[in-house]
Amino acid sequence: MSGSNIIPWVVGNWKMNPMQADAQQLIQDLKQLLQDAPITEQQCHIGVAPISIALLSVKQSLQNVSPAVKVVAQDVSQMAGTGAYTGEVSAELLKDSQIDYVLVGHSERREIFGDDVTKIKAKISNALNAHLHIIYCVGESLEQREAGQAEQIVLQQICDLAAVVKPEQWHNIVIAYEPIWAIGTGKTASPQDAQAMHAKIREGLTQITTEGQRTAILYGGSVKPENAVELAACPDINGALVGGASLNAESFYKIAQAFAKTE
Ligand code: PGA
């Protein structure tokens, strides 16, 4: 079974980039490309994830773009609501600012900022309970892949997710499989290897939720226009989470075009 009827998602993860003027230029360029050759929401959901202090200005700049470009937060606090938590932004505060999407569990958060399973579960629960949609990132390290543990690691990360998602919340979840060794390295998983892992993830999801066949599973890790077409042809790869290449409007747009459904 494959998820080939799923509307793809192409999301640009801007990480700790760019400066304000460059961000505005990037948005203007992207708007122009979308105006010249629109990609409809039936063809592909497009989103960008700027730094937290730029979420509202980016949202404002994208206000009248049709089809809509979704604005995605890169992270959310493990603490819910409001309170004395210096430096944190909760799911409720994102929602209050009309930010409806958030990345959770990116490997950079897991590896550099100590987002362990407990924190990640809290972030998932908080986001879903505040009615945010999440893009939940999973992926194995090079050592884990070389030790033959890739599948086990990724499926465990799916189980961590399943432990906190309520049945009625699954439709607010997108998965992003990002092998850590492929992020920012120029190395992409081969379409065959990526498809194999995506199929395993879908099989796992199908055992957990009736939404398993409808859940978008994105690939991430050095996606660029040159490899997007081949990745998009895989039945269980329903889009891309794009880092480096999303900082160039034309590259990002071409990736979205590669994934956009043509019928
Ligand atoms: P990359 O990053 O496309 O630069 O490899 C992907 C990501 O980390 O989401």
Side-chain angles (χ1 to χ4, degrees), residues 13 15 106 108 178 182-184 221-223 241-244:
N13 177 9
K15 307 192 180 185
H106 191 282
E108 286 153 15
E178 300 200 303
I183 296 178
S222 300
V223 178
L241 183 55
V242 187

Side-chain angles (χ1 to χ4, degrees), residues 82-99:
T82 54
Y85 302 110
T86 305
E88 293 294 288
V89 179
S90 70
E92 287 79 2
L93 290 173
L94 287 174
K95 190 73 185 174
D96 188 50
S97 292
Q98 281 93 49
I99 301 298

